[in-house]
Amino acid sequence: MRIRIATRGSRLSLIQTEIVMNMIRRVEPEVQFDIIVVRTTGDVIQDKPLYAIGVKGIFEKEVNLALLMNKADIAVHSLKDLPSEISPGLIVAGFSHRDPPYDVLVVKGDYPSDLTALPSGARVGTSSVRRRAFLLNVRRDLSISVIRGNVDTRINKLIKGDYDAIVIAEAGLTRLMNNIDQLNIKYTRISLDLLPPAPGQGIIAVVAREKDTDLIDLLNRASDPKARAEALAERAFLRAIGGGCHVPVGGIAIYERDSMEFIAGMADLNGERKIIVKLSGSSANPEELGINAARELLRRWSGSEAAGS
């Protein structure tokens, strides 16, 4: 069996593709792979924040187009990069083991690595409106600046002194950086209550064509069941909330045996207002929990707006 994999060409994307290949090989050892590298609009445009480019699914559509044009059989993505609805005829069919879902504050040398300990006016780089909104809610005195580029590029900008700190996903950092100590950088996790992550953060997703049922079955067998349940809850939350990666909202499902907890948050762009909700439910129906979390978050957000008017 031979599978053609579409992926972005960054070093992190290729590492994630290798993780997917190993995941599939565990259930189908003889499978062979061809890697199809796709350069996306998000990779080409590096001088604008993501929200200013004006394209939904900026790291997704062009990679998935390879499937629709029959140039590839599956596509590999960071699940957090996938919008709530993907192209018709495609399905998110595979889910890797989840790496830590936290956002982390990364600094160099002896600079304070805790969010509350940063000096007033510290230059903090992020390209995410979600991170910006929640960070400002905690520290209005920080200077939040746009930073673009892959993880390697952002780390290099931090090391050069362009920023005092950057905020990125822990999963991408640890998958990529085996020599963090040698780079003289360190990082600290930011609490899920302070900065709820993007839905799907820490999970690698595999997209396939709906008609390729044998391939979908293979991906189902290769997937991590816990990550699948959490992903289903978070994708349902994202659809119900009605937002994508440019909306200051975060949500994460935490699977624990027969139960599941959902932490969701929303903040306004200036960080002046924030709502965090926590719900529990059965892991047997993760999508229902995600939908309920979205509804409760929206209900409380609307109530806080009315109270402030």
Side-chain angles (χ1 to χ4, degrees):
M1 184 180 189
R2 198 167 199 92
I3 298 175
R4 298 168 298 168
I5 305 182
T7 179
R8 293 166 61 198
S10 70
R11 193 157 67 95
L12 178 58
S13 295
L14 295 174
I15 289 171
Q16 293 182 165
T17 299
E18 185 68 34
I19 290 171
V20 168
M21 290 191 293
N22 289 334
M23 181 178 93
I24 294 172
R25 286 187 183 115
R26 281 195 288 270
V27 296
E28 192 68 47
E30 301 303 318
V31 68
Q32 300 293 313
F33 296 100
D34 295 316
I35 297 176
I36 312 297
V37 173
V38 179
R39 196 159 189 227
T40 70
T41 300
D43 296 315
V44 174
I45 301 176
Q46 293 287 322
D47 59 347
K48 294 182 181 180
L50 296 179
Y51 60 82
I53 298 175
V55 179
K56 286 189 176 181
I58 193 167
F59 294 123
E60 168 258 340
K61 285 189 175 180
E62 289 149 303
V63 177
N64 285 345
L65 185 61
L67 275 67
L68 297 172
M69 296 178 66
N70 199 31
K71 294 181 178 179
D73 304 305
I74 61 175
V76 173
H77 302 273
S78 294
L79 183 59
K80 69 182 180 66
D81 290 339
L82 288 180
S84 57
E85 301 291 343
I86 61 175
S87 302
L90 302 180
I91 183 174
V92 185
F95 304 90
S96 75
H97 168 81
R98 185 171 219 162
D99 285 325
Y102 297 88
D103 286 314
V104 292
L105 185 75
V106 188
V107 300
K108 63 177 183 177
D110 296 326
Y111 202 80
S113 61
D114 185 270
L115 182 59
T116 59
L118 289 178
S120 181
R123 298 164 298 164
V124 181
T126 176
S127 63
S128 160
V129 293
R130 172 185 59 85
R131 290 169 180 151
R132 173 187 173 86
F134 283 97
L135 289 171
L136 286 175
N137 181 262
V138 180
R139 292 288 306 273
R140 296 295 301 279
D141 60 330
L142 296 178
S143 176
I144 310 293
S145 302
V146 172
I147 185 171
R148 285 293 316 280
N150 55 37
V151 175
D152 307 69
T153 300
R154 297 182 197 200
I155 293 295
N156 287 333
K157 288 179 178 180
L158 171 70
I159 292 171
K160 287 194 308 180
D162 295 346
Y163 302 87
D164 297 314
I166 60 174
V167 178
I168 56 179
E170 181 179 2
L173 178 65
T174 55
R175 286 172 191 153
L176 192 60
M177 299 292 179
N178 296 319
N179 58 339
I180 290 176
D181 292 337
Q182 296 176 30
L183 292 173
N184 194 30
I185 62 173
K186 58 185 177 181
Y187 68 90
T188 301
R189 288 176 175 174
I190 303 175
S191 165
L192 300 177
D193 292 338
L194 294 182
L195 180 51
Q201 189 158 299
I203 300 173
I204 304 168
V206 187
V207 173
R209 290 181 289 263
E210 288 180 332
K211 66 179 182 179
D212 293 341
T213 54
D214 289 345
L215 191 49
I216 290 171
D217 177 66
L218 172 61
L219 293 171
N220 284 338
R221 289 187 286 119
S223 292
D224 181 271
K226 179 176 179 290
R228 172 185 288 279
E230 292 175 345
L232 290 175
E234 292 164 33
R235 300 282 290 165
F237 167 81
L238 191 60
R239 287 191 296 271
I241 208 77
C245 64
H246 306 323
V247 178
V249 62
I252 180 169
I254 303 170
Y255 184 108
E256 293 182 0
R257 295 187 180 180
D258 296 330
S259 66
M260 184 175 284
E261 182 184 28
F262 204 106
I263 302 173
M266 183 179 289
D268 62 16
L269 288 172
N270 295 319
E272 296 176 354
R273 190 159 49 103
K274 179 181 78 173
I275 299 289
I276 298 288
V277 301
K278 295 182 181 181
L279 274 72
S280 296
S282 171
S283 57
N285 197 344
E287 291 177 299
E288 181 180 54
L289 178 60
I291 292 169
N292 288 340
R295 289 173 176 169
E296 177 64 13
L297 184 61
L298 291 171
R299 184 189 69 79
R300 291 185 54 184
W301 186 260
S302 297
S304 70
E305 282 185 329
S309 61

